[in-house]
Amino acid sequence: GAGVSQTPSNKVTEKGKYVELRCDPISGHTALYWYRQSLGQGPEFLIYFQGTGAADDSGLPNDRFFAVRPEGSVSTLKIQRTERGDSAVYLCASSPSVGGGQETQYFGPGTRLLVL
Amino acid sequence: GQSLEQPSEVTAVEGAIVQINCTYQTSGFYGLSWYQQHDGGAPTFLSYNALDGLEETGRFSSFLSRSDSYGYLLLQELQMKDSASYFCVLNRDDKIIFGKGTRLHILP
């Protein structure tokens, strides 16, 4: 597709469950970012990949959160033992090459996660 | 640490000009970006300042002064579709930091 896509668009789960959120970046973009956005707040940086490797994962809130990008394209954000405080919109963005925020980031529509 | 401050809300009249300010504290960064986000939508890139001075892109302009730790986004000829949240963003080598956003209300 032409833009960044994310699936599912909405996810409702119960406290304690495991969830996976998927991001398909723009074809050819080597840098990929995950953010979390709560209502009325700006996106909060979680992790960024340069190719297959996590160049910076300092934004992941704790060890329940993990992300992979095994082939340097699609990425999956995994959340274990979900808590109600994990409820937010999870945004994915990609950029062409350099990464580190020096280039325009193209955002996907987000996955709205609700933990009951 | 690093932080960004911007007003939570600004109101302006259709056809007018509005300036959204952003002050920051950080030890070093590549540049300052601005993103627009409509309710329920994804952030979209507006402008980026790597150097001090003014960058103009159509009706939108952005300014950066590193010596003053200050930047702003200027929107001209406001249209109702400009009603959205606007985020200033610090572009660092190790992290991208979004401000909390300024909600722009436009009155007819």
Side-chain angles (χ1 to χ4, degrees), chain A residues 1-4 24-32 49-52 69 71-74 93-99 103-104 106:
Chain A
V4 178
D24 278 89
I26 293 172
S27 178
H29 280 193
T30 58
L32 184 146
F49 290 88
Q50 187 61 253
T52 60
R69 195 186 185 199
E71 297 179 357
S73 178
V74 170
S94 69
S95 67
S97 58
V98 177
E103 293 186 321
T104 300
Y106 299 85

Side-chain angles (χ1 to χ4, degrees), chain B residues 19-97:
Chain B
Q19 179 173 311
I20 299 173
N21 297 321
C22 174
T23 57
Y24 59 84
Q25 289 184 327
T26 186
S27 56
F29 65 105
Y30 285 113
L32 194 72
S33 300
W34 290 89
Y35 283 77
Q36 177 192 60
Q37 186 177 32
H38 287 96
D39 284 347
T44 56
F45 173 81
L46 291 178
S47 190
Y48 175 65
N49 291 74
L51 304 175
D52 282 7
L54 193 67
E55 291 286 339
E56 298 180 80
T57 310
R59 295 188 296 116
F60 297 162
S61 302
S62 60
F63 174 82
L64 174 64
S65 169
R66 288 176 183 265
S67 59
D68 295 322
S69 299
Y70 165 73
Y72 66 73
L73 178 69
L74 191 74
L75 297 86
Q76 303 182 69
E77 300 171 18
L78 285 171
Q79 302 174 11
M80 297 305 293
K81 68 178 182 179
D82 297 330
S83 294
S85 292
Y86 293 84
F87 296 93
C88 60
V89 180
L90 276 175
N91 298 64
R92 288 171 53 106
D93 184 47
D94 58 343
K95 197 172 290 185
I96 296 87
I97 304 163

Side-chain angles (χ1 to χ4, degrees), chain A residues 33 35 37 40-43 45 56 58 91 100-102 104-105 107-108 112, chain B residues 30 35 37 40-43 45 48 87 91-96 98-100:
Chain A
Y33 307 80
Y35 295 85
Q37 187 174 25
Q41 301 292 316
F45 170 81
D56 181 3
S58 61
L91 294 164
Q102 296 180 67
T104 300
Q105 295 182 38
F107 282 81
R112 285 155 185 76
Chain B
Y30 285 113
Y35 283 77
Q37 186 177 32
F45 173 81
Y48 175 65
F87 296 93
N91 298 64
R92 288 171 53 106
D93 184 47
D94 58 343
K95 197 172 290 185
I96 296 87
F98 277 72
K100 292 187 176 180

